[in-house]
Amino acid sequence: MNPTHEALPTDWWSVEDVLRYLADEGAPVSRDTWNSYVSRGQAPKPDRYFGRSPAWRPTTVPDWHRTRPRRGSGKA
């Protein structure tokens, strides 16, 4: 695991945590892009909501990130 990930919460990740994780992994996206991915089903659905704020388990986004199609990979 990337040492910078140790600072991420161990219970639930907010959008800000997801964006920090992706940036640390060398795959930065903007908040608008992440929200578009989620709304189009290209990113994992939130595991729960706190009010209107989406949250993901700390394993959800890394699992998705490891298996997501990459540009030029031939995967649709």
Side-chain angles (χ1 to χ4, degrees), residues 34-52:
W34 177 254
N35 290 336
S36 292
Y37 285 176
V38 172
S39 70
R40 292 190 308 249
Q42 293 175 298
K45 290 182 182 182
D47 291 306
R48 74 174 292 181
Y49 285 85
F50 292 98
R52 294 182 57 175

Side-chain angles (χ1 to χ4, degrees), residues 1-24:
M1 177 181 251
N2 185 327
T4 59
H5 298 331
E6 292 174 10
L8 290 168
T10 58
D11 52 358
W12 296 100
W13 284 7
S14 66
V15 172
E16 291 79 18
D17 298 322
V18 169
L19 298 180
R20 184 170 40 166
Y21 170 81
L22 293 173
D24 290 347

Side-chain angles (χ1 to χ4, degrees), residues 56-73:
W56 292 264
R57 295 181 191 284
T59 57
T60 301
V61 174
D63 289 348
W64 164 80
H65 180 64
R66 278 191 294 277
T67 62
R68 70 188 263 218
R70 301 287 197 262
R71 184 177 288 188
S73 69

